[in-house]
Amino acid sequence: MRKSKIRGCLGGLLVLLALGAMRAAPASAKETWDHVANVKEAAKRLAELHKQKGSAGVLKFLDACYRTQTLSSSYTPGMESCLAQDYMHSQILARIYARIPQADRVRMGIPAPEDIANGMGQRFVATFKQYKMSVKQAEDFKKLVDKDGMPIFVKSVFPKQNSGGKDHNAGKRDAR
């Protein structure tokens, strides 16, 4: 139940924040790139970055990504990649942290899943406002990432285990 609550919280938050941010904003210019291919590539790059640098490295990268990409006056494939990677990472991180009891999260100094969702929501609202994205565009973006990006990221970061319950890649990752 908690897992679906977090998933619903993140998705619902995205749409609600977009609704509040747009207030009949005009649609942005027509994008000319392949959104599906861009999101799939963003998922692959995110998975590789996560494998190499962990969650802390991803967060550092996303901060730099937003700082760089928001300098553009128009919505670009790079900005779409930042948003997609932020969305995928935030969803997975929130799901993982939701499994940790609150007292343990506090002791370990890690944020609550709701705080992760709120932080992502604030970044998305700022971006949606800047590029005058419509609610429909925000909803379509979420569906695109859920369908075409998230499976790639999850499969790469959390590979299936063999029948014995051991992850074949565990030793390889630990040896780094």
Side-chain angles (χ1 to χ4, degrees), residues 6-150:
I6 296 299
R7 181 181 302 152
C9 176
L10 287 171
L13 180 66
L14 177 64
V15 173
L16 287 175
L17 291 171
L19 287 169
M22 263 57 83
R23 290 196 184 100
S28 59
K30 182 78 174 150
E31 294 94 20
T32 58
W33 65 89
D34 182 340
H35 296 278
V36 172
N38 191 45
V39 166
K40 286 181 176 182
E41 186 59 33
K44 291 175 190 173
R45 288 191 316 266
L46 176 63
E48 189 57 37
L49 178 62
H50 190 271
K51 287 177 187 177
Q52 291 176 1
K53 307 238 179 191
S55 187
V58 169
L59 292 172
K60 188 174 181 178
F61 168 79
L62 288 172
D63 179 59
C65 189
Y66 276 105
R67 289 176 190 268
T68 302
Q69 295 299 325
T70 56
L71 295 174
S72 176
S73 60
S74 61
Y75 185 67
T76 64
M79 186 73 252
E80 181 178 71
S81 292
C82 283
L83 290 166
Q85 291 168 334
D86 188 4
Y87 179 75
M88 288 181 281
H89 183 259
S90 295
Q91 278 223 330
I92 295 300
L93 199 59
R95 288 180 193 171
I96 291 169
Y97 286 1
R99 295 179 178 177
I100 302 170
Q102 181 180 359
D104 291 340
R105 283 196 314 266
V106 170
R107 182 179 45 76
M108 294 178 346
I110 58 176
E114 299 81 17
D115 294 339
I116 295 168
N118 289 335
M120 182 197 71
Q122 290 172 2
R123 293 185 296 276
F124 276 43
V125 166
T127 303
F128 293 157
K129 280 183 177 180
Q130 179 175 344
Y131 298 111
K132 298 175 177 61
M133 294 176 69
S134 69
V135 173
K136 174 140 177 42
Q137 287 171 308
E139 290 170 346
D140 289 348
F141 170 78
K142 179 192 173 303
K143 289 176 188 172
L144 172 69
V145 177
D146 284 339
K147 179 181 177 276
D148 295 305
M150 191 64 83

